[in-house]
Amino acid sequence: MTAETSPPPSPDDGHQGTGPPADYAAARAGLLAAPGPTGDARRTALAALTDDWLGGLLTAAGAPAGVALVAVGGYGRGELSPRSDLDVLLLHDGPLDPELPERIWYPVWDSGAALDHSVRTLAQARTVAAADLKAQLGLLDARHIAGDPALTEALRSAVLGDWRASAPRRLPELRELARERAERHGELSFLLEPDLKEARGGLRDVVTLDAIAASWLADAPRDGLDAAALRLADVRDALHLATGRATERLSLQDQDQVAERLGVLDADTLLRQVYEAARTVAYASDVTWRAVDRVLAARSARGRRSSRLSFPFTGAGRGAGAVARGAVRRRPLAEGVVEQDGEAVLAQGARPAADPVLPLRAAAAAAQNGLTVSYATVRRLAAECRPLPVPWPDEAREQLVTLLGAGEACIPVWEALEAEGLITRLLPDWERVRCRPQRNAVHRWTVDRHLVETAVRAAAMTRRVARPDLLLVAALLHDLGKGLPGDHSEAGEVIVRDVAVRMGFDEDDTETLAVLVRHHLALVETATRRDLDDPATVEAITKAVGTPARLELLHALTEADATATGPAAWSSWRASLVDGLAARAAAQLAGGQPGRAEAEPTAEQERLAVEAARTGGPALTLLAQAGPEVPGPGREGAGPAGTEPMGVRLTLAVPDRPGLLGTVAGVLALHRLTVRSAGLRELDPIGAGAVLLLSWTVAAEFGELPEAARLRADLRRALDGSLDVSRRLAERDAATPRRPGIPTPPPLVAVAPAAASATATVLEVRAHDAPGLLHRIGRALDGAGVRVRTAYVSTLGADAVDSFYLTDVAGRPLSARRAGEVAAAVRAALVRGPDAGPSTGRTAY
């Protein structure tokens, strides 16, 4: 609270004081020196000792009736640390002897105790509280010490009543204070010398949560919160005793002493415990403030509706009023996940116990839409979901990549999952690095947060690599070896091999991840410590990575790792050295770059191609692919009983014609199917002309596959021109409201070097997967008047990585100028595409 403070009197001012401060000082010193009690019990005992002493001072001062001595702030809560100030209010209900306060305060000053004091009537206290938020917060913890208890009770009742009445107006002010405090002092859970009280996640935030609960508008999640607050308070006590000062900063030189006083193994263990407690408080704060936002938004909306309905009107009965009150809006995000009140929550039909991928799907959908997962939803997922099978299903791996690919939006979602133990359930090795401090001034974060931050920065570099999924996973795992004996890169390589296999990566991808983790420091260390003109320097890098694709990934990982470490770890000078080394290594590796091998067509594909060539029309097959078994009976449209439909394998053969790729992609988008992979190739099965063969793997956006007959009919209608796919997509897009989405890197459309193909021009497209993406690419290529001879389409998490082999109408590769024009046309189509917002699949709805 705001107090009227005066310095202790000087020794020559003639004041002798009242009462025996030496007795209190001796008793206090004895209590603090005794082997027990400690912790909360000692704080309570110290507060009780101080109460008795101050009560005696009030009596000795000759206080009349109508006076009360009240403890406020931390002292009011009974949380009196060894060097805490005594926050005291002398409350009175009428005229007061002006010398009475000094007869109380001087003995306190003489004892050496720090005192914050004020003298108020009840009306004055309420006036000060109304003008000063900090004073109001202190008065919320008012506790009677001595004197007239009815006066203290009247103060408590009035202050609480005022607080609850003014909470809708004052809580935003309180939130701004918390935000400014966090900006000044940082996040407690990542600082090597944290302020235990003022930093985000510290003791001041605990007081804020109690104030919100007192408003009756919202309450914090209480699991673990009290234990976290007690842990921070215990560390603060030990810090006061170790330093002999009223300090809140846990400095490096004091950490060993504090750890010893608390019986903790070492300073690192102490910091991990502090960080864990701070994260609990910080997460509770995030959840609580979101609840406050919802309550205040709902009150504001009710006020606006009430204002509108207060005007006379005609023609609106009870039905109109019901509409005005409105129903809860729930927007689908993914299978089993919807948006409600600005958070991702479970759909009504979600079955967590039967869907082990649901936590990752909900997290990915939330992050890609710039949301977080609601507290209740995370709690339910943690309680009901079974562990993922080993190896993970493909969907689980894709959803993890999609989550990481959301960039900054991934962080609050990741924190929510981690708060309920879901991260360590997915990645058991995460527990070793969780909250682990890095005692290096270069590092800004703990090990676990550094890994997430590296993935965030890697998400901005996904256009630079052909395998963004491997880049993001390597970024997340590259420091998992920290905390183990020896070189953390070598230890991490062993760990990541096991993790990659559990995640379901194949042998080649597992080897790539192992190489990236083992050598994630190689580029920057070699570039800054070796002679770049020495051929052996370049050879060391090429030997370590082996392929251009791995070098490309390592280059991006190096930059993401360094920029996530801190400003001192990356500079324009370092960047230029690393870029130069990577360029030289790439040039040396480019000579042995193999071409893409094309698999022979299957018997079914050849049959369809023959049928299309003979009939002159499309021939297609649809094959549903079932997912893992789940409890309970099967449902219509699923595979065998007890399985969930995971997707469809669509194979289509049609005589060569313009616009085929975009047309088919548009039909799939109309049916809300996401394209996971696709291939296009030319065949001439009977020597009667080219037949285009398209092989697609698609999945239902919300789990319900369309009827095969309807999909087949729409494909035929689109190919014969009776279904205008583009118009239908545009109409649906215009009718569907969309949220802004998250920032993503711009699309990359580039012409590959001529060596990529001797018979065609290769156009590479890397973009954030979005509704109708492949349809827009296909239309742009068709509008450019080129033929798509072969295509390789893949969706890796939230990123599309596609290659199109193009020729002119005569079947020749494009000229350099023509290729540039086509690339520009495709780029323009992607940039000016519909503002569809983020998506986890190539749909348009």
Side-chain angles (χ1 to χ4, degrees), residues 710-805:
R710 183 178 175 187
L711 178 59
R712 186 180 288 107
D714 282 350
L715 282 169
R716 293 183 183 276
R717 290 173 57 213
L719 292 172
D720 66 24
S722 60
L723 174 63
D724 189 339
V725 176
S726 297
R727 181 180 61 81
R728 288 278 301 275
L729 287 174
E731 289 174 350
R732 187 164 66 188
D733 188 69
T736 305
R738 302 192 180 279
R739 61 182 303 110
I742 59 172
T744 59
L748 173 68
V749 183
V751 180
S757 174
T759 59
T761 297
V762 180
L763 188 71
E764 296 180 343
V765 179
R766 300 174 185 176
H768 187 77
D769 197 11
L773 176 68
L774 191 54
H775 176 62
R776 297 202 300 277
I777 295 173
R779 289 194 67 197
L781 293 175
D782 185 35
V786 296
R787 296 179 58 217
V788 181
R789 196 192 70 189
T790 308
Y792 298 96
V793 174
S794 58
T795 305
L796 303 171
D799 288 295
V801 181
D802 305 337
S803 297
F804 302 93
Y805 286 67

Side-chain angles (χ1 to χ4, degrees), residues 245-576:
R245 296 180 289 110
T247 179
E248 313 298 340
R249 185 168 298 280
L250 185 60
S251 61
L252 292 173
Q253 64 265 26
D254 298 324
Q255 289 173 10
D256 287 324
Q257 296 181 63
V258 172
E260 183 179 357
R261 280 187 173 274
L262 293 172
V264 174
L265 178 63
D266 54 26
D268 274 6
T269 304
L270 170 68
L271 279 182
R272 292 192 76 173
Q273 292 180 356
V274 169
Y275 293 163
E276 288 174 352
R279 289 191 188 184
T280 299
V281 175
Y283 177 62
S285 297
D286 291 341
V287 171
T288 305
W289 281 118
R290 289 200 300 271
V292 169
D293 289 343
R294 288 194 298 272
V295 171
L296 296 183
R299 287 191 171 200
S300 177
R302 285 198 299 270
R304 289 194 300 270
R305 287 194 294 268
S306 176
S307 175
R308 288 196 299 269
L309 293 176
S310 66
F311 292 98
F313 61 95
T314 59
R318 294 183 181 180
V323 172
R325 286 191 294 273
V328 175
R329 295 184 178 180
R330 296 166 68 89
R331 181 176 71 97
L333 297 176
E335 170 65 7
V337 188
V338 298
E339 176 188 355
Q340 178 180 314
D341 292 334
E343 295 180 321
V345 303
L346 295 185
Q348 293 179 352
R351 297 181 295 169
D355 189 356
V357 183
L358 187 54
L360 281 173
R361 191 185 311 122
Q368 285 292 324
N369 284 274
L371 309 171
T372 190
V373 186
S374 78
Y375 172 71
T377 294
V378 179
R379 296 272 295 173
R380 185 181 172 194
L381 291 172
E384 298 183 23
C385 278
R386 295 180 291 115
L388 283 169
V390 176
W392 289 9
D394 290 347
E395 186 198 0
R397 191 170 60 255
E398 292 168 358
Q399 297 294 352
L400 174 63
V401 172
T402 302
L403 168 62
L404 299 175
E408 291 283 352
C410 162
I411 294 176
V413 176
W414 189 273
E415 290 176 341
L417 298 184
E418 191 169 49
E420 297 300 332
L422 284 167
I423 296 300
T424 51
R425 187 185 301 181
L426 291 168
L427 301 170
D429 294 286
W430 195 261
E431 182 61 31
R432 185 175 51 260
V433 298
R434 190 173 68 86
C435 294
R436 178 173 291 278
Q438 303 199 78
R439 293 187 176 275
N440 185 323
V442 173
H443 278 277
R444 296 177 57 192
W445 311 105
T446 54
V447 177
D448 58 335
R449 180 59 179 268
H450 168 71
L451 294 174
V452 177
E453 291 285 340
T454 304
V456 166
R457 281 150 182 79
M461 304 176 188
T462 52
R463 303 297 175 267
R464 291 169 43 177
V465 298
R467 289 296 302 273
D469 56 332
L470 296 182
L471 172 62
L472 292 169
V473 173
L476 182 70
L477 305 180
H478 75 277
D479 273 348
L480 277 187
K482 287 189 173 179
L484 293 174
D487 186 331
H488 78 277
S489 298
E490 294 178 1
E493 178 187 2
V494 176
I495 296 170
V496 81
R497 289 183 184 276
D498 176 64
V499 174
V501 170
R502 282 191 277 122
M503 286 183 174
F505 284 104
D506 64 25
E507 185 176 347
D508 287 344
D509 289 348
T510 297
E511 183 64 26
T512 295
L513 289 170
V515 168
L516 292 176
V517 171
R518 174 66 182 85
H519 299 289
H520 71 270
L521 297 175
L523 270 181
V524 69
E525 289 183 346
T526 303
T528 56
R529 300 176 185 177
R530 300 276 295 275
D531 180 5
L532 299 188
D533 292 325
D534 186 344
T537 301
V538 176
E539 185 178 356
I541 296 300
T542 58
K543 184 177 179 180
V545 298
T547 69
R550 288 177 183 168
L551 176 63
E552 180 183 71
L553 288 165
L554 183 62
H555 188 186
L557 175 60
T558 299
E559 184 174 340
D561 182 19
T563 54
T565 298
W570 195 246
S571 64
S572 58
W573 171 74
R574 288 193 174 209
S576 65

